[in-house]
Amino acid sequence: MGATLPARAEAPSVSWPQTASDLQAESGIRFGTLSNGMRFAVMHNATPAGQAAIRFRIGSGSLEEDDSQQGLAHFLEHMAFKGSTHVAEGEMVRILQRKGLAFGPDTNAHTSYDETVYALDLPEVDAETVSTGLMLMRETASELKLDAGAFDRERGVILSEERLRDTPQYRGMIGLINVLLAGLRVPQRPPIGKTDIISHAPVDLVRDYYRANYRPDRATLMVVGDVDPDAIEAEIRQRFDDWKPAGPVKPEPDVGALKQQGPGTDVVTVPGASTRVQVAWTRPYDASADNFAKRRAQTIEDIGLSVLKRRVGAMARRANAPFISAEVASQDLYDSARIALIAADSEPGKWQTALAAIDQEQRRIAQFGVEQAEIDREILEYRSLLQAAAGGAATRTSTDIANTLAQSVDDNKVFTSPADDLALFERMVKGLTAEEVNQALHTVFSGNGPRLVLQTAQAPEGGADAVAKAYAASRAVPVTAPPKAVAAVWPYIHFGNPGTVVERRGADDLGVTMVRFANDVRLNVKPTKLRANEVLVRVDIGHGRLDLPKDRPLSTWTAQAVELSGLKGIDYEDMQKALAANVASIDFSLEDASFKFEGRTRPEDLATQLQVLAAYSSDPAYRPEVFARLQQAYLNNLDQYAATPSSVVSRDFQGLVHADDPRWAFPDREQLLATKPGDFEALFHDPITRGAIEVTVVGDVTADDAIRLVSQTFGALPARPDGASVNAVVQFPPPVTQPVLRTHTGRADNAAAVMAVPVGDMLSDLPRAFAVDLAGQIFENRLIDQFRIAEGATYSPQGDVSLSKSIPGYGFAYAYVETTPAKVDRFFALVDKIATDLAATDVSPDELARAREPTIETVKHQQEGNEYWLQNLRGVQTDPRRLDLIRQNLTGYEKVTAQDIRTIAATYFRPEKFWKFEVLPSSVAAVR
């Protein structure tokens, strides 16, 4: 056996990392440690105003489990919602709902290998709400009852979550970890655990874990928001100072040691998975203190790997590319090793070509290094992102800060400010040479390895030996120096004479300016200070799917190739190169009622951002090689879409609820193979280059500046008069007596069930729309209470209401669960019963409040972000009802009564109107 290298587990009583570092923590955060060892951090942050985020981290996860406890760290996380000394079972979620928190988005938790984190996002910061949040965290710390009955009822929920997580992607990830960290504790302790332990473990085992690991010296409490730090600190001390460990410190688990080893080859067979070639190098985890030198070394490593990532990315975009996509990354993996990875996704029969390509490109950069021009480009992009972050630091959201702070605790890193991050970066890269980057890459590629891991649905003939031979054959091929980097210039600067404004009006109560140019381009502008240094731009063209024919299969799936095809004057790769110093982005999607482009930028780059969007709207390219790459990606993933109930639902649901309209349908293999590059261009070119244009600009910009810059781009384009959509009629499927059946190829104990019912559109009757939304929320709450909590039959029931703003009369409510095949009929019986009960009896004031308050608080929270305005201002010039919706978005919910809910249920939620859909394992469906 070779020598071993140590890994580490987290030890109790860890001080804040800045006390042992030359880095300064962000000022404005109050860091402290109680006498019992619990750490806390409090920060006042007024974005959004009147809200706060709480994160409570326990530095223990699945690594701390004994052999008999595998899965119980995660099980314990669930039990935190199941009753404590001062909160009865089932009351925690209700308490939070009354305070305006929605279960899931605002109230959540996660368990990993080395931590368990509880999260509350408080919609208000009055003393009672904040105290309630801190009280619940204190209950979690040491007061959980861990009742045997509640424990037994939750087993089915955990098992449902295990089934939900057990996807080909997850199995592939676990397979890779098992290879790269073989012999360490991490592969033996996936957080979901073992199903036999989840099914049969006595409650005393989870109590033992709780007493041993939920200790103040392992805990960190973080509060960020529009709060008084003095008052928060005082309450933290008052509530948590009396928390005492339940017993002596438990010895740290032996997490194992990374073995020194040379090259090797493995095959991971994952039914339903795509083909993926992965080459990795591992090094010992560096547990030393966070400091400038350590960060600089990691930054230089990242820059070198970014050059390699850009090179293989360019290879994927070439004609006849050797693989579909590729990635390059390095990271610390669960405090056990540092891993560098280069991976490529390929066609099943062409993994040898993909392997040769990534192997030789890695060896090319290792042998010949990087050019200074490549380094300078990466520095430009890093710098522009850090500048944007520093410019927007004053309006970071409390949720984002709290999440990042919690991550820094997990990483044992100093929480540095965005301004300091920028300053540190400038110090790190000053005078940075290619020689230094090349030395960093040498270190990366001199660790254990290379370890080749081939992931396939079926092992290749000859198994790992055949893979090893292919690898050896590639490594025998000498590599040559790469071509010199060539600079690129952005060509889309002028679009013609600036457009003339022919109409300007405002919705002064909403702070919105509406403009129409002489060429019929419309512009909506909403200046805000919600996020400093951020401007969002949306461009809606034509009528989207409603402009497309509905009498034949369509290649709508090729929408993802529009962005990557670039422009006629510059391809995507050169565009990224030319704009490296700018913060500008491009995203394209096919919407129900528009062809939509979006971008995110900063004020000084708004002109460039508009140039990018205008160029895509007027001079797009449709490159066959990009189409071919996307086509193959879809073909490769077809088996994954059939592998689990959730993937089948995501594949088929939209087509089914649009009555099999081809504009919403997912393509099958025959359709994919029949589609040609010319079909891609024919579908999008005319609608994008000729359709009417509406631009929406929201963020840190004045109305006059936005108008001026849009006039120079979109306002300068040739006129595009609006026209009616061609095929605006859309149908919801009729009710069914037997559920529509689809099958999956995965586990025989996993199924999905969906109920949906038409409820009308959004804009034709706003009071009805608000009432339907709350009725749907109440429906979901009852489904959670009965199917998840009382029966333990599912992990995460979902219910929602989808009301179209663009398709007259179209909208639906739905409920969805993943469960066992034996429980599918029970789900359908239960939704029938819930609907009947809602129509027969008024909901209680408390139940209505527990639906209404989280909904209202969610809208308030959304209105504090630029994204809300970007999405909701679309179409306001031609349909003033959209402005009414914004104005009434809060009061509309406040006016909904219990009688309104009952009326909605009696009118729409009638079992005889339900459309039902089930996804069963192939074996079970065959028996039926």
Side-chain angles (χ1 to χ4, degrees):
M1 294 180 62
T4 58
L5 303 166
R8 83 175 181 99
E10 183 164 329
S13 300
V14 179
S15 62
W16 287 104
Q18 58 264 31
T19 62
S21 175
D22 55 0
L23 301 171
Q24 298 295 313
E26 179 167 352
S27 61
I29 302 179
R30 183 174 301 184
F31 296 93
T33 306
L34 302 182
S35 59
N36 58 14
M38 190 191 90
R39 295 185 295 176
F40 66 87
V42 182
M43 179 183 185
H44 175 262
N45 183 68
T47 304
Q51 299 180 27
I54 298 176
R55 300 293 181 268
F56 184 49
R57 178 186 184 271
I58 300 294
S60 299
S62 59
L63 289 175
E64 281 70 31
E65 296 168 341
D66 294 337
D67 288 345
S68 63
Q69 296 173 324
Q70 293 180 64
L72 297 190
H74 171 243
F75 208 136
L76 176 57
E77 170 216 310
H78 279 239
M79 295 303 294
F81 298 86
K82 298 296 177 182
S84 60
T85 300
H86 302 101
V87 180
E89 182 185 353
E91 270 303 297
M92 180 179 176
V93 171
R94 288 184 171 91
I95 289 171
L96 294 169
Q97 287 174 333
R98 294 177 192 121
K99 296 294 182 183
L101 283 78
F103 186 68
D106 306 315
T107 308
N108 218 322
H110 74 262
T111 302
S112 185
Y113 291 88
D114 58 353
E115 68 172 358
T116 307
V117 180
Y118 299 89
L120 295 178
D121 292 337
L122 304 180
E124 304 289 344
V125 290
D126 59 276
E128 182 181 358
T129 300
V130 175
S131 290
T132 297
L134 293 175
M135 178 272 291
L136 293 172
M137 296 298 97
R138 180 63 183 88
E139 292 288 290
T140 300
S142 67
E143 302 302 306
L144 300 183
K145 285 188 174 181
L146 303 179
D147 174 74
F151 185 70
D152 286 340
R153 286 189 292 275
E154 195 68 12
R155 294 184 198 268
V157 176
I158 306 288
L159 292 170
S160 176
E161 183 176 358
E162 186 272 334
R163 293 191 300 270
L164 179 68
R165 306 265 184 243
D166 189 21
T167 64
Q169 296 91 329
Y170 173 79
R171 293 194 294 272
M173 179 193 73
I174 292 297
L176 181 65
I177 290 174
N178 290 345
V179 170
L180 299 183
L181 301 184
L184 302 185
R185 190 175 180 84
V186 167
Q188 305 168 28
R189 290 294 187 272
I192 198 63
K194 293 185 174 181
T195 56
D196 59 336
I197 292 177
I198 296 167
S199 299
H200 302 110
V203 70
D204 282 343
L205 287 179
V206 80
R207 291 170 180 164
D208 290 344
Y209 182 93
Y210 184 46
R211 286 190 292 265
N213 294 287
Y214 278 50
R215 305 168 50 89
D217 49 17
R218 284 190 176 275
T220 307
L221 180 64
M222 294 149 277
V223 182
V224 181
D226 199 1
V227 295
D228 176 6
D230 290 336
I232 296 298
E233 179 180 351
E235 185 161 1
I236 289 172
R237 292 186 179 279
Q238 181 268 322
R239 287 191 178 276
F240 289 86
D241 248 334
D242 65 349
W243 180 17
K244 305 299 182 187
V249 175
K250 182 181 177 181
E252 291 302 310
D254 179 6
V255 298
L258 189 67
K259 296 177 182 178
Q260 291 181 333
Q261 55 186 341
T265 304
D266 294 89
V267 176
V268 175
T269 303
V270 182
S274 59
T275 301
R276 186 172 175 83
V277 182
Q278 302 160 107
V279 183
W281 293 259
T282 57
R283 289 175 281 160
Y285 173 72
D286 182 0
S288 64
D290 183 23
N291 57 39
F292 176 80
K294 185 176 180 180
R295 287 199 186 185
R296 184 175 188 273
Q298 291 179 352
T299 297
I300 294 172
E301 177 181 311
D302 289 344
I303 288 173
L305 290 175
S306 293
V307 173
L308 178 57
K309 180 179 180 179
R310 201 174 295 281
R311 288 184 184 181
V312 297
M315 293 172 68
R317 287 187 283 273
R318 295 201 305 248
N320 301 312
F323 43 74
I324 298 168
S325 61
E327 67 170 310
V328 178
S330 67
Q331 68 177 96
D332 292 324
L333 204 58
Y334 310 120
D335 298 353
S336 296
R338 184 161 184 84
I339 293 180
L341 178 78
I342 177 170
D345 296 304
S346 77
E347 298 179 45
K350 297 184 178 179
W351 60 265
Q352 299 94 332
T353 303
L355 168 60
I358 61 173
D359 162 58
Q360 291 165 30
E361 202 60 37
Q362 179 272 323
R363 289 191 290 116
R364 193 186 323 278
I365 202 170
Q367 180 174 340
F368 295 101
V370 301
E371 289 186 42
Q372 189 65 43
E374 293 177 301
I375 296 171
D376 293 343
R377 176 183 175 182
E378 301 305 330
I379 289 174
L380 270 179
E381 289 206 3
Y382 273 69
R383 179 182 289 124
S384 63
L385 293 174
L386 291 169
Q387 288 173 338
T395 51
R396 290 170 293 169
T397 67
S398 296
T399 298
D400 287 345
I401 295 173
N403 289 337
T404 308
L405 184 56
Q407 185 62 55
S408 74
V409 173
D410 183 41
D411 295 337
N412 198 31
K413 290 185 176 180
V414 181
F415 188 82
T416 47
S417 71
D420 284 347
D421 289 340
L422 176 59
L424 290 169
F425 178 76
E426 296 296 1
R427 285 177 58 197
M428 292 171 183
V429 301
K430 185 177 181 180
L432 180 63
T433 64
E435 181 180 358
E436 196 169 2
V437 174
N438 292 334
Q439 182 57 48
L441 289 174
H442 175 76
T443 301
V444 169
F445 300 134
S446 61
N448 292 341
R451 194 80 185 178
L452 168 60
V453 182
L454 174 66
Q455 173 191 292
T456 61
Q458 292 182 327
E461 185 176 350
D465 289 342
V467 178
K469 289 180 182 178
Y471 195 18
S474 174
R475 292 181 70 80
V477 176
V479 294
T480 58
K484 293 292 184 182
V486 178
V489 178
W490 175 242
Y492 293 92
I493 304 297
H494 301 292
F495 293 83
N497 294 326
T500 302
V501 174
V502 296
E503 181 183 6
R504 176 170 177 164
R505 53 196 172 94
D508 295 339
D509 58 324
L510 299 175
V512 175
T513 299
M514 294 171 282
V515 166
R516 184 169 60 86
F517 293 94
N519 62 352
D520 285 324
V521 168
R522 298 180 186 274
L523 167 65
N524 312 307
V525 186
K526 166 74 174 176
T528 81
K529 295 297 182 182
L530 298 173
R531 303 289 182 272
N533 212 39
E534 176 186 87
V535 184
L536 306 183
V537 185
R538 170 172 174 160
V539 180
D540 289 280
I541 303 176
H543 302 98
R545 286 186 175 89
L546 300 183
D547 273 341
L548 303 180
K550 56 184 296 185
D551 58 352
R552 59 184 181 273
L554 299 170
S555 56
T556 54
W557 55 273
T558 61
Q560 297 175 55
V562 171
E563 171 192 339
L564 295 178
S565 286
L567 303 161
K568 291 179 180 177
I570 187 170
D571 65 20
Y572 186 82
E573 176 68 20
D574 282 346
M575 182 173 73
Q576 301 299 308
K577 188 185 304 183
L579 301 177
N582 302 96
V583 175
S585 63
I586 178 71
D587 180 74
F588 175 77
S589 62
L590 172 59
E591 302 292 303
D592 287 356
S594 75
F595 300 86
K596 184 185 73 173
F597 290 100
E598 283 189 345
R600 181 185 300 267
T601 186
R602 55 186 175 178
E604 58 263 44
D605 287 327
L606 178 56
T608 300
Q609 178 66 76
L610 288 167
Q611 290 167 5
V612 171
L613 294 170
Y616 268 95
S617 303
S618 59
D619 201 33
Y622 299 92
R623 290 186 163 83
E625 62 271 20
V626 178
F627 162 83
R629 175 185 171 199
L630 179 64
Q631 182 185 47
Q632 191 57 54
Y634 265 85
L635 288 166
N636 276 19
N637 289 330
L638 283 179
D639 288 345
Q640 288 193 40
Y641 277 111
T644 65
S646 62
S647 58
V648 172
V649 172
S650 68
R651 182 192 69 191
D652 292 350
F653 183 68
Q654 285 300 318
L656 289 171
V657 295
H658 290 87
D660 294 320
D661 190 316
R663 295 174 292 182
W664 282 269
F666 193 92
D668 60 21
R669 185 176 299 276
E670 181 180 354
Q671 291 168 338
L672 287 168
L673 291 171
T675 306
K676 306 302 180 187
D679 300 325
F680 164 44
E681 180 169 359
L683 187 70
F684 290 108
H685 182 268
D686 284 358
I688 288 176
T689 58
R690 298 179 183 179
I693 295 175
E694 177 187 46
V695 182
T696 303
V697 179
V698 177
D700 194 359
V701 63
T702 66
D704 287 343
D705 282 345
I707 293 169
R708 175 176 54 82
L709 294 173
V710 172
S711 75
Q712 297 169 0
T713 49
F714 289 95
L717 297 177
R720 298 193 190 185
D722 197 2
S725 56
V726 177
N727 291 296
V729 177
V730 179
Q731 302 292 334
F732 189 83
V736 293
T737 55
Q738 292 295 320
V740 175
L741 174 64
R742 293 288 189 272
T743 62
H744 69 88
T745 59
R747 292 168 47 161
D749 60 350
N750 207 4
V754 182
M755 178 282 295
V757 63
V759 293
D761 63 25
M762 170 66 80
L763 298 176
S764 64
D765 184 349
L766 288 178
R768 173 193 49 78
F770 293 125
V772 166
D773 201 13
L774 288 188
Q777 184 60 60
I778 292 169
F779 200 110
E780 181 188 39
N781 289 346
R782 290 193 178 186
L783 187 61
I784 291 172
D785 287 345
Q786 296 177 48
F787 204 59
R788 183 190 197 273
I789 297 174
E791 301 180 23
T794 188
Y795 167 58
S796 182
Q798 298 175 32
D800 204 357
V801 175
S802 177
L803 305 179
S804 178
K805 299 177 187 176
S806 306
I807 304 172
Y810 187 83
F812 59 91
Y814 72 92
Y816 163 62
V817 299
E818 287 198 38
T819 187
T820 62
K823 292 285 187 180
V824 168
D825 288 344
R826 169 60 184 154
F827 165 76
F828 287 129
L830 182 57
V831 295
D832 286 357
K833 182 179 184 302
I834 292 173
T836 301
D837 291 347
L838 283 173
T841 308
D842 284 351
V843 298
S844 69
D846 180 65
E847 188 173 21
L848 179 57
R850 288 189 293 108
R852 180 179 11 233
E853 294 311 312
T855 302
I856 289 175
E857 294 300 339
T858 297
V859 174
K860 287 182 180 178
H861 180 76
Q862 291 171 343
Q863 289 179 339
E864 292 293 322
N866 289 327
E867 291 84 357
Y868 171 88
W869 298 98
L870 190 75
Q871 303 309 321
N872 283 281
L873 289 176
R874 181 259 189 279
V876 295
Q877 294 192 42
T878 54
D879 190 348
R881 297 177 303 172
R882 293 173 180 261
L883 291 172
D884 294 336
L885 174 61
I886 297 173
R887 293 183 176 111
Q888 298 177 35
N889 226 351
L890 296 176
T891 59
Y893 290 114
E894 292 168 351
K895 294 176 180 178
V896 175
T897 67
Q899 182 58 52
D900 293 331
I901 300 298
R902 189 171 175 181
T903 299
I904 290 294
T907 304
Y908 298 105
F909 294 178
R910 294 167 56 182
E912 67 270 19
K913 292 187 174 184
F914 288 174
W915 174 86
K916 297 177 180 180
F917 172 39
E918 62 184 356
V919 183
L920 300 177
S922 300
S923 56
V924 174
V927 173
R928 283 195 172 189

